[in-house]
Amino acid sequence: MRVSADSLSDLRKRRSAKWRSFDKDVLPLPVAEMDYPIAKPIQEVLLDMVKRSDVGYGGVIPELPKAFAKFAKRRWNWDVDIEQFRISTDVGVAGVEVIRVFTNPGDKVVINSPVYHNFYTWINEAKCQMVDVPLIKSGEDYLLDTAGLEKEFAAGAKVFLMCHPHNPVGHVFSRVELSEIAKLAKQYGVLVISDEIHAPLIFKEAKFIPYLALNEDARETGVCITSASKSWNLAGLKCAQIVSQHPTIFEKLNALPVSSPWRASILGTWASQVAYDQGEKWLDAVLRNVDRNRKYLAKLLKKNLPKANYEVPASTYLAWVDLNAYGIEDPAKVLLEKGRVAFNDGFDFGPSGKNFVRINLATSKAMLRKAVKRMAKVLND
């Protein structure tokens, strides 16, 4: 099976914010949204539901946890307890609501920057205090600062909000790292919220281990929040999953709003069910595209922007590119104004991301080539 990006002219007809937030001459490569057509089985269920005006309330739909559990077993050998499965509007809402259950206003929530920029807004929305334990740059990878993590856990942090796999750097936490997290979380009574929205987007050199599949310490301390939205390009359909695997955690999660499943979209819920049940061939085709693109970007940068520092990510369809060597303050802003190409500003992901940009790889080679040429024209001038 092959999946190809839509043409630029067709992409510009889309109504999503990615394609409506910039002037027509800008190449938009920020928002984590794919330029590929969604999988046929998902198209078919959505078209069928709309054709029959089947767009009412969804509520609890048992087919979704069953499909997710089968996918998790096939993909990661994770035995999901479908009785401890809940749905929410999206991963952001899920994150905020779970934080609220396990904290009081003012409590500390730990993150590892540079990290998904909306983590900061989630913590603020939950009226908690953000504590940063930055990742450690080690050669071509970023690693967890376990000593720093223990320090903050011991100082009274209540929640560790973990991005696994990590956005934007593409790091996939190892079994050793996850075991250390679980051990420390149990020792200090910290809840680990593992945002695993990018989990299906793993390349062959890496192995993804769901936090709740790790060991009993992880199950006693963890909640997984995830969604089909990133891996199957369904963000606008609004459906996320909250998964636990321990009776104590499950009981505490009963404090979540009782209306949570009703706030998810019926279209999103059934699209997610089909994605997990019938969407793997499409997903694997997309991964082959992104695999080529992540390596192609390295070649493009080496040829056109040799001072750029880019480590090929082990997961996600997002590239984290260091432009500090070009000596331009706020390169994302300059590239938009002078190069007419849009990326995420690295500083939004944390102070260590200053003068980095995040580039969306879920597109065509032609789009990446055009984008890098525009970058080079500005930065090499």
Side-chain angles (χ1 to χ4, degrees), residues 245-378:
Q245 207 146 335
H246 191 273
T248 302
I249 298 290
F250 179 71
E251 180 66 26
K252 288 184 178 180
L253 288 174
N254 284 332
L256 288 167
V258 294
S259 56
S260 284
W262 299 93
R263 292 171 180 168
S265 159
I266 187 173
L267 296 176
T269 305
W270 284 104
S272 299
Q273 186 273 331
V274 172
Y276 292 129
D277 194 47
Q278 302 176 44
E280 276 184 271
K281 289 183 178 179
W282 183 92
L283 173 64
D284 289 338
V286 164
L287 276 170
R288 287 192 291 272
N289 284 0
V290 180
D291 184 21
R292 290 190 290 268
N293 284 353
R294 66 183 179 137
K295 297 169 184 174
Y296 183 55
L297 179 62
K299 293 178 181 178
L300 288 171
L301 292 173
K302 184 177 181 180
K303 179 181 178 181
N304 297 279
L305 290 165
K307 292 190 289 184
N309 188 357
Y310 162 62
E311 308 299 344
V312 176
S315 66
T316 80
Y317 53 82
L318 304 165
W320 186 238
V321 181
D322 180 356
L323 299 176
N324 274 283
Y326 285 92
I328 295 177
E329 193 72 18
D330 201 352
K333 181 179 180 181
V334 173
L335 288 168
L336 177 58
E337 292 176 351
K338 296 184 177 180
R340 312 308 288 161
V341 59
F343 306 121
N344 288 108
D345 185 343
F347 189 74
D348 291 341
F349 299 83
S352 64
K354 184 178 181 181
N355 298 329
F356 281 69
V357 293
R358 193 189 74 171
I359 302 176
N360 189 330
L361 297 169
T363 186
S364 65
K365 282 189 172 183
M367 184 79 84
L368 288 177
R369 188 164 56 248
K370 289 177 183 177
V372 172
K373 285 185 179 298
R374 292 189 184 192
M375 293 172 70
K377 188 174 180 180
V378 174

Side-chain angles (χ1 to χ4, degrees), residues 63 69 74 85 102 119 142 148 156 167 170 176 190 292 304 340 356 380:
E63 289 87 346
R74 290 192 304 268
F85 182 100
F102 287 86
F119 274 16
Y142 286 82
N167 168 17
V176 171
V190 173
R292 290 190 290 268
N304 297 279
R340 312 308 288 161
F356 281 69
N380 292 330

Side-chain angles (χ1 to χ4, degrees), residues 129-170:
Q129 179 184 348
M130 185 274 293
V131 177
D132 188 12
V133 179
L135 295 174
I136 299 171
K137 188 72 166 68
S138 176
E140 296 184 355
D141 201 359
Y142 286 82
L143 302 177
L144 185 70
D145 179 0
T146 52
L149 206 62
E150 180 170 16
K151 178 182 176 183
E152 296 303 339
F153 284 10
K158 297 298 183 183
V159 170
F160 174 38
L161 184 54
M162 176 171 66
C163 198
H164 175 49
H166 201 281
N167 168 17
V169 305

